[in-house]
Amino acid sequence: MTRIGVYPGTFDPVTLGHMDIIRRGAKLVDRLVIGVTTNPSKSPMFTLDERMEMVRREIAGVAGEIHVVAFDSLLMDFAEREGAKVIVRGLRAVADFEYEYQMAGMNQQINPRVETVFLMADVALQPIASRLVKEIALYGGNIAKFVTPAVREDVVARVEKIGRKGS
């Protein structure tokens, strides 16, 4: 039986922290499905298609069977459609844990056949958040420590297109 896991997120943009969880999550399952979604409470810098392409490009060298799929539904419905028995979530700090713990409990109520597995982010990558990467870039800061060179180019180009703040 193939063990399928889902790693959901907005990936706007995909960070080194996301890549750490993808690499490690891919070792836990036979197939890892990266579910790219749009969070209605967030304003994305990149379109869904751009984010999917960015993730596909970044995972090209990662070992394991990894698929990138868009979804716009309840996570547990998406997991069921993909045949997943595991949701992979990354944790950075206590604040993440409180939110993720609540979400895992709600998800278990919706679909008890799917387990949530938490992976602690690498200590060096714990402070990285897409929201902060975008904010730093919008104010002209250097994001090279938080994303790959290709993603940095994507973000810098987008910031140049939409206009930098504070200038």
Side-chain angles (χ1 to χ4, degrees), residues 30-83:
D30 300 312
R31 180 184 331 144
L32 181 63
V33 178
I34 300 172
V36 182
T37 190
T38 299
N39 184 333
S41 67
K42 297 180 181 178
S43 302
M45 177 177 273
F46 296 96
T47 67
L48 179 62
D49 288 341
E50 288 170 332
R51 289 181 280 128
M52 288 183 60
E53 185 53 39
M54 193 182 299
V55 172
R56 282 189 186 107
R57 180 189 67 213
E58 295 302 313
I59 65 165
V62 177
E65 184 181 341
I66 305 174
H67 301 270
V68 180
V69 178
F71 78 102
D72 184 20
S73 65
L74 285 174
L75 173 57
M76 300 314 277
D77 291 343
F78 175 65
E80 188 84 24
R81 277 195 308 274
E82 292 296 323

Side-chain angles (χ1 to χ4, degrees), residues 22-158:
I22 290 168
R23 276 188 212 88
R24 292 170 47 218
K27 293 176 186 175
L28 300 177
V29 294
D30 300 312
R31 180 184 331 144
L32 181 63
V33 178
I34 300 172
V36 182
T37 190
T38 299
N39 184 333
S41 67
K42 297 180 181 178
S43 302
M45 177 177 273
F46 296 96
T47 67
L48 179 62
D49 288 341
E50 288 170 332
R51 289 181 280 128
M52 288 183 60
E53 185 53 39
M54 193 182 299
V55 172
R56 282 189 186 107
R57 180 189 67 213
E58 295 302 313
I59 65 165
V62 177
E65 184 181 341
I66 305 174
H67 301 270
V68 180
V69 178
F71 78 102
D72 184 20
S73 65
L74 285 174
L75 173 57
M76 300 314 277
D77 291 343
F78 175 65
E80 188 84 24
R81 277 195 308 274
E82 292 296 323
K85 297 295 182 210
V86 174
I87 303 294
V88 176
R89 299 297 292 159
L91 293 177
R92 294 172 300 205
V94 173
D96 278 354
F97 179 78
E98 291 174 9
Y99 171 79
E100 293 293 347
Y101 181 79
Q102 184 177 24
M103 290 301 299
M106 294 295 286
N107 286 339
Q108 187 178 38
Q109 294 293 316
I110 294 169
N111 187 342
R113 296 175 304 281
V114 180
E115 289 293 333
T116 300
V117 174
F118 297 110
L119 296 177
M120 295 299 298
D122 181 284
V123 174
L125 304 174
Q126 283 182 2
I128 302 174
S130 293
R131 175 182 55 81
L132 298 175
V133 168
K134 289 186 289 191
E135 189 172 321
I136 291 165
L138 285 167
Y139 283 99
N142 185 355
I143 60 171
K145 292 180 180 179
F146 313 121
V147 295
T148 65
V151 171
R152 182 188 167 282
E153 287 178 21
D154 292 340
V155 173
V156 168
R158 184 54 46 95

